[in-house]
Amino acid sequence: MTGETLQIGLAGLGTVGTGVYETLCRNHDLLEARTQIPFAVKRVAVRSLARKRDVEIDPALLTDNWQELVDDPEIDIIIELIGGTEEAYRLVKAALLAHKPVVTGNKALLAEFGSELFQLSAETTTPLYFEASCGGGIPIIQSLQNSLVCNYVRRITGIINGTSNYILSSMERKGMTYEDALAAAQRKGYAEADPTLDVNGWDAAHKALILAMLAYGTPVSTENISVYGIDRITATDFRFAKELGYNIKLLVVIRHHADKDALELRVQPSFVSRKHLLSSVYGVFNAIAVHGDIVGETIFYGRGAGKNPTASAVIGDVMLAMRECRHPENHSGFHPYTKRLKVLPQEETVTPYYVRFLVQDRPGVIAVIAAELAKYDIGISGTMSSPRKGGDGGEGTCDLVFLLHACPWGKLCEALRALHVHESINPHPAVFRIETLNEEA
Amino acid sequence: MTGETLQIGLAGLGTVGTGVYETLCRNHDLLEARTQIPFAVKRVAVRSLARKRDVEIDPALLTDNWQELVDDPEIDIIIELIGGTEEAYRLVKAALLAHKPVVTGNKALLAEFGSELFQLSAETTTPLYFEASCGGGIPIIQSLQNSLVCNYVRRITGIINGTSNYILSSMERKGMTYEDALAAAQRKGYAEADPTLDVNGWDAAHKALILAMLAYGTPVSTENISVYGIDRITATDFRFAKELGYNIKLLVVIRHHADKDALELRVQPSFVSRKHLLSSVYGVFNAIAVHGDIVGETIFYGRGAGKNPTASAVIGDVMLAMRECRHPENHSGFHPYTKRLKVLPQEETVTPYYVRFLVQDRPGVIAVIAAELAKYDIGISGTMSSPRKGGDGGEGTCDLVFLLHACPWGKLCEALRALHVHESINPHPAVFRIETLNEEA
């Protein structure tokens, strides 16, 4: 053991905060043995002192004023797990100004105030750690900052929302409807009472912004990212996807277009080939594929949320903070490499597509669609129709799937709009991108 | 940028050394921007100055005497990539004694001299980095040391030899024989002219010893580890495996038995359920599953060998060394947690099994085998026989597969020996462990 006992201030004793406190107690000897640094949790800030808690904790440690943690000269490191953005922002700012390294897992905070807080961290030479903000227990942040540091990142593709992946898994494996799968996720505690941010893609989008910032140094505002959720996916699309050799996953795609000095950044349910590992990531698990120019393809897989996996990531950061806090100027500070990339407008992003039209089951409909696509110079790689009688529209209708060659999203939208005039074609087809992911082994 | 230019000495300009040198040159601006530390390669030690090289390098940088790197007071960090063990040992020892941090990817060196070198590293407060020694470009070492630091590791299961995984992939996907698959791997440059260490499991075993040392602090000598290679696997076993829902992979298994204060450590081709991601790792890719008490299951996937992926890992360590070398006492030194575990004798390790007997195709053989297994209290969960006429032994023979409930390896061996007296049963059945890996999502 070396030096004085390092004192930790923990702000927030919700689910993750409790996991962090419990683990710091339960695995205390392990951590001291591995780091050779003695440490203790000195103070824990909570919203309400009166609230009954699931964790045994000395009431003398508790305070309902986080400012006490910042002001306490004996506290060396602060863990921010209070959630939300406004108060968390004030806490992190105050801690950095007091030269106390901060560990946070607050992705919404970083999406909203990241640029400012990272700048403050640099100005005060006080590190800000955020492994837990993306991918739960998966060490994606430290890997991008350290092990993969020599790589120009060509592409990041990830499943980084456990709730939606759990819902999609239930739909695929058990044939459940979206509504039933969501209800089941809520019963299991994998979805909040209000699941909006999880199922509409924005939780994944917040994490994508953090990954893009690390990989490219390009701060992307939330207006520049194209985000679609999973709430309109049907069992019919899962059936077709399976038949075609795909699975449907809510994917984050970040791709560097060197020729255009541009970044593609989008979140949407996509068709993923069953030959790629990402297609086999089930339940609440997350996986992030990072393709670097030197390392090739790497994938990081694990529990993307939950009390203990997230606590594992937080504590990994805390131990790093402990090692570094005696010499903050020696901090493993990672400075994102910035080349001022523009964000590629969604209309210009190019992939192949799966489009399922609900049509009147009569001769000539395929010809109409094919002719319209040809006008827009969009190639067709295959078509198939529902084997059963009657499409999602009932008797007399039919599901007609078109697989399209790669073309810009904007062009596809134009072609689909042009089809609106045809009465026999429902004007709201189901459209999925088909992601090109494979690297040949 | 902060401080003086850090000077790197590179020893070894083989495949990986060339990849490191090229990447340090090509991605130099990226690395300086991300680390904010200016650096240069000051000197490169090679075996022969006369040899023609694939890489453009100023001849003034070259020396055929690595001692010059150690003696040069301006060199801050030394990269050891000369391979072998004797000379590499002398080099690393000399560098640590000269207080120059060392980055190495030499697993054979660590397997043979690791204990001594890590002790010297501690005594001299001079870090020794070794990310590239296991899993090529996969950041498994830094993840175990940092991000996952709070976890008691329950189990590590990995595919960590790319050559044998390439061979097994060819056998499974293309129906090739072992000999043809090996020849194809050699033509592609994925197997050495002498592939012994790769296909007999010992390369994977060396890496397993490093992982076990990190996770448990238990130095395991090579005599205590049970190692089987892939050279006796046949197409017949791949066919049965597929039918039963498994794939065959050369697996490293490290498992902690808390109840016995013991470590299970073995390398062998195993049956892996097709529902587990490890079964879908193909070609030269590696994947390592780490199960921690807090984080649950995590998997790290990527290219396990080759010039550039390994260079990526080496450079990740070099950048860490650069950040830390101004304050070596602040090194992210990871001290394995030691609880003096004994190594579980192979005979006591317990799994379910697949056993394929080659037998004379006549009534009563199943009864004989079942009776013998019953004597040893080994349960049968299923049997099946080859659908075609004639087993691997030709006309009049038959492949008879028994799936056995979990039992100690020693007991299975006794039962199999007892069957030797039966003339209608070939005394060399194919035996595979069936690994229990799944964590429910």
Side-chain angles (χ1 to χ4, degrees), chain A residues 87-147:
Chain A
E87 199 176 350
Y89 165 73
R90 288 198 303 276
L91 162 55
V92 173
K93 191 173 168 181
L96 292 175
L97 286 169
H99 294 280
K100 294 188 198 300
V102 176
V103 174
T104 181
N106 192 328
K107 58 202 162 281
L109 172 71
L110 295 180
E112 199 171 335
F113 298 104
S115 295
E116 184 186 337
L117 292 173
F118 287 119
Q119 201 185 322
L120 184 63
S121 161
E123 284 166 13
T124 56
T125 340
T126 307
L128 173 60
Y129 305 85
F130 52 101
E131 180 66 73
S133 66
C134 185
I138 303 172
I140 184 65
I141 305 293
Q142 287 193 19
S143 294
L144 283 171
Q145 291 181 328
N146 295 315
S147 316

Side-chain angles (χ1 to χ4, degrees), chain A residues 23 26-27 29-31 33-36 131 137 139 142-143 145-153 166 190 214-215 277 280-285 293-303 308-309 311-313 315-316 319-320 323-324 326-327 329-337 439-441, chain B residues 23 26-27 29-31 33-36 131 137 139 142-143 145-153 166 190 214-215 277 280-285 293-303 308-309 311-313 315-316 319-320 323-324 326-327 329-337 439-441:
Chain A
T23 304
R26 193 181 334 137
N27 290 4
D29 295 349
L30 176 74
L31 286 164
R34 284 181 171 167
T35 61
Q36 294 286 303
E131 180 66 73
Q142 287 193 19
S143 294
Q145 291 181 328
N146 295 315
S147 316
L148 303 181
V149 67
C150 79
N151 288 271
Y152 283 99
V153 175
Y166 185 85
Y190 292 150
L214 275 174
L277 284 179
S280 305
V281 172
Y282 284 108
V284 295
F285 280 87
D293 64 333
I294 306 300
V295 79
E297 176 146 289
T298 55
I299 301 179
F300 300 82
Y301 168 94
R303 292 186 169 269
N308 281 339
S312 172
I315 297 174
M319 296 300 123
L320 205 58
R323 288 177 188 137
E324 295 180 341
R326 295 253 163 79
H327 296 282
E329 74 283 9
N330 199 31
H331 165 49
S332 63
F334 174 88
H335 305 264
Y337 176 73
E439 184 191 30
E440 265 312 300
Chain B
T23 305
R26 195 184 331 139
N27 290 4
D29 294 350
L30 176 75
L31 286 163
R34 283 180 171 167
T35 61
Q36 295 285 304
E131 180 66 73
Q142 288 194 17
S143 294
Q145 291 181 328
N146 295 314
S147 317
L148 303 181
V149 67
C150 78
N151 288 271
Y152 283 100
V153 175
Y166 185 86
Y190 293 150
L214 275 174
L277 283 180
S280 305
V281 172
Y282 284 110
V284 294
F285 280 87
D293 65 334
I294 306 299
V295 77
E297 176 147 286
T298 56
I299 301 179
F300 300 82
Y301 169 94
R303 292 187 169 268
N308 282 339
S312 172
I315 297 174
M319 297 299 123
L320 205 58
R323 290 177 186 135
E324 296 179 341
R326 296 252 166 77
H327 296 282
E329 75 282 10
N330 199 30
H331 166 50
S332 63
F334 173 89
H335 306 264
Y337 177 74
E439 184 192 29
E440 264 313 296

Side-chain angles (χ1 to χ4, degrees), chain B residues 241-440:
Chain B
K242 189 166 193 180
E243 208 160 320
L244 293 161
Y246 296 95
N247 200 350
I248 303 175
K249 292 293 179 189
L250 181 68
L251 275 198
V252 159
V253 175
I254 311 171
R255 191 185 294 252
H256 182 217
H257 294 270
D259 52 335
K260 298 176 184 168
D261 269 346
L263 208 57
E264 178 175 348
L265 215 162
R266 53 192 168 80
V267 178
Q268 76 285 296
S270 290
F271 273 37
V272 180
S273 164
R274 287 189 183 263
K275 288 186 182 155
H276 196 278
L277 283 180
L278 286 183
S279 74
S280 305
V281 172
Y282 284 110
V284 294
F285 280 87
N286 281 194
I288 302 159
V290 178
H291 192 104
D293 65 334
I294 306 299
V295 77
E297 176 147 286
T298 56
I299 301 179
F300 300 82
Y301 169 94
R303 292 187 169 268
K307 177 177 160 181
N308 282 339
T310 311
S312 172
V314 168
I315 297 174
D317 273 353
V318 172
M319 297 299 123
L320 205 58
M322 293 198 328
R323 290 177 186 135
E324 296 179 341
C325 77
R326 296 252 166 77
H327 296 282
E329 75 282 10
N330 199 30
H331 166 50
S332 63
F334 173 89
H335 306 264
Y337 177 74
T338 311
K339 219 190 138 214
R340 237 185 299 178
L341 301 170
K342 68 172 185 192
V343 178
L344 205 63
Q346 171 73 355
E347 296 72 43
E348 295 177 27
T349 60
V350 173
T351 56
Y353 303 91
Y354 158 103
V355 184
R356 176 174 60 86
F357 298 95
L358 181 61
V359 301
Q360 298 299 320
D361 193 4
R362 64 174 72 136
V365 180
I366 292 184
V368 165
I369 296 173
E372 204 66 65
L373 291 168
K375 271 190 217 160
Y376 289 86
D377 209 26
I378 299 172
I380 299 167
S381 63
T383 68
M384 69 193 292
S385 60
S386 161
R388 71 213 159 96
K389 272 250 174 266
D392 273 2
E395 199 63 38
T397 69
C398 169
D399 287 309
L400 212 54
V401 167
F402 279 72
L403 298 177
L404 305 180
H405 286 304
C407 76
W409 173 253
K411 199 177 246 187
L412 176 66
C413 291
E414 282 179 47
L416 294 179
R417 267 195 302 275
L419 283 165
H420 282 190
V421 298
H422 298 279
E423 275 177 19
S424 51
I425 302 166
N426 182 303
H428 302 294
V431 182
F432 291 87
R433 290 175 183 272
I434 298 173
E435 298 295 342
T436 315
L437 298 170
N438 277 310
E439 184 192 29
E440 264 313 296

Side-chain angles (χ1 to χ4, degrees), chain A residues 163-185 199 229-239 242 247-249 269 274 282-283 356 432:
Chain A
T163 304
S164 53
N165 200 51
Y166 185 85
I167 293 171
L168 294 180
S169 299
S170 303
M171 292 178 72
E172 190 234 333
R173 295 203 288 194
K174 299 180 190 161
M176 293 167 91
T177 63
Y178 169 76
E179 290 73 20
D180 289 349
L182 170 60
V199 299
I230 61 166
D231 52 327
R232 291 187 51 211
I233 305 175
T234 68
T236 308
D237 294 314
F238 271 107
R239 272 198 304 273
K242 189 165 192 180
N247 199 350
I248 303 175
K249 291 294 179 188
R274 287 190 183 263
Y282 284 108
R356 177 174 58 86
F432 291 87

